[in-house]
Amino acid sequence: DTGVSQDPRHKITKRGQNVTFRCDPISEHNRLYWYRQTLGQGPEFLTYFQNEAQLEKSRLLSDRFSAERPKGSFSTLEIQRTEQGDSAMYLCASSWQANTGELFFGEGSRLTVL
Amino acid sequence: RKEVEQDPGPFNVPEGATVAFNCTYSNSASQSFFWYRQDCRKEPKLLMSVYSSGNEDGRFTAQLNRASQYISLLIRDSKLSDSATYLCVVRGSGGTSYGKLTFGQGTILTVHP
């Protein structure tokens, strides 16, 4: 499968714990995106990378969230000191810079904070 | 005000009906617009881009009104398989924001026999 892959697919954690999600984009894509989606809402932009550079980060994102893409390939999204409000589906997507807006999404990582 | 606003619906229509969805965006400098489709418990996928002159793709027609900052999607001859959530998407206007795609809340469509 050469699509976007995310790991883990499901994560249940207790409030206050740290969690990390990994995303492997389509190999030739140089842009990588993180979104968060809750029930009944559209995907909410968190951040995006072009190669290893983080170009934009949502102002809604607290300092507890951090994302990296160290070698311009896979990316990680870490949430520190999780809160119940962090429970959501975390979606990763990738695209080719020259593309006019087609993002290829992974199946997502579902986080449940107890 | 949200950057991209949609009527969440749900829209319940019979097979064969014509249905239209609307979307408004707040940043008048936005240049690129798209409709995505998301099936239940699946990831979003690009349905079509929206061009200034309007464009069609089979039974789907997208329109853009820059003066009103309004985007629409028309589906003709609805099929059961069209049941999904339709997401309006706007690209950022410039600089590093150009790569940022902002999604609306989504409009739920259910097509029944």
Side-chain angles (χ1 to χ4, degrees):
Chain A
D1 186 357
T2 56
V4 177
S5 63
Q6 294 188 242
D7 183 71
R9 294 289 311 281
H10 303 274
K11 178 72 176 178
I12 300 174
T13 191
K14 293 183 179 179
R15 190 175 53 187
Q17 298 295 305
N18 299 343
V19 297
T20 299
F21 301 115
R22 175 181 171 124
C23 172
D24 287 89
I26 294 171
S27 58
E28 62 266 28
H29 287 176
N30 63 346
R31 284 189 175 166
L32 185 148
Y33 296 76
W34 285 100
Y35 286 84
R36 175 173 65 187
Q37 188 172 28
T38 54
L39 192 63
Q41 300 297 315
E44 176 189 9
F45 174 82
L46 296 179
T47 189
Y48 89 96
F49 295 83
Q50 183 164 299
N51 301 312
E52 65 275 10
Q54 187 173 22
L55 295 190
E56 186 138 337
K57 183 176 176 179
S58 170
R59 285 171 289 177
L60 300 174
L61 216 57
S62 76
D63 291 341
R64 297 185 297 107
F65 288 72
S66 62
E68 294 183 342
R69 195 183 183 196
K71 297 182 179 179
S73 56
F74 74 92
S75 175
T76 58
L77 175 69
E78 182 182 19
I79 308 173
Q80 296 182 326
R81 305 181 302 282
T82 53
E83 301 172 357
Q84 288 187 322
D86 297 332
S87 295
M89 179 72 83
Y90 289 83
L91 293 167
C92 176
S94 69
S95 74
W96 181 239
Q97 180 182 351
N99 189 282
T100 54
E102 183 166 16
L103 299 185
F104 293 84
F105 282 87
E107 294 181 301
S109 293
R110 181 169 295 284
L111 174 65
T112 301
V113 181
L114 302 177
Chain B
R1 182 184 173 187
K2 289 184 178 180
E3 292 182 62
V4 182
E5 295 203 59
Q6 293 182 251
D7 177 352
F11 286 67
N12 295 297
V13 302
E15 278 185 286
T18 296
V19 60
F21 307 137
N22 304 321
C23 167
T24 58
Y25 59 96
S26 62
N27 185 351
S28 60
S30 298
Q31 294 294 314
S32 305
F33 311 91
F34 311 92
W35 284 100
Y36 274 66
R37 169 189 169 133
Q38 186 170 25
D39 293 325
C40 188
R41 297 190 181 90
K42 296 287 190 180
E43 69 274 18
K45 293 184 179 179
L46 178 67
L47 177 65
M48 60 194 301
S49 301
V50 184
Y51 301 121
S52 296
S53 55
N55 49 295
E56 277 190 20
D57 183 0
R59 298 180 292 107
F60 298 83
T61 301
Q63 296 278 356
L64 169 64
N65 183 324
R66 288 188 184 276
S68 300
Q69 294 177 213
Y70 171 96
I71 306 158
S72 66
L73 177 68
L74 183 77
I75 305 176
R76 292 182 300 277
D77 189 23
S78 298
K79 311 291 185 190
L80 295 176
S81 58
D82 294 333
S83 297
T85 297
Y86 290 84
L87 298 158
C88 177
V89 182
V90 176
R91 180 189 286 283
S93 58
T96 58
S97 293
Y98 183 74
K100 174 186 172 184
L101 277 77
T102 300
F103 286 72
Q105 178 182 0
T107 299
I108 298 171
L109 172 66
T110 301
V111 181
H112 58 81

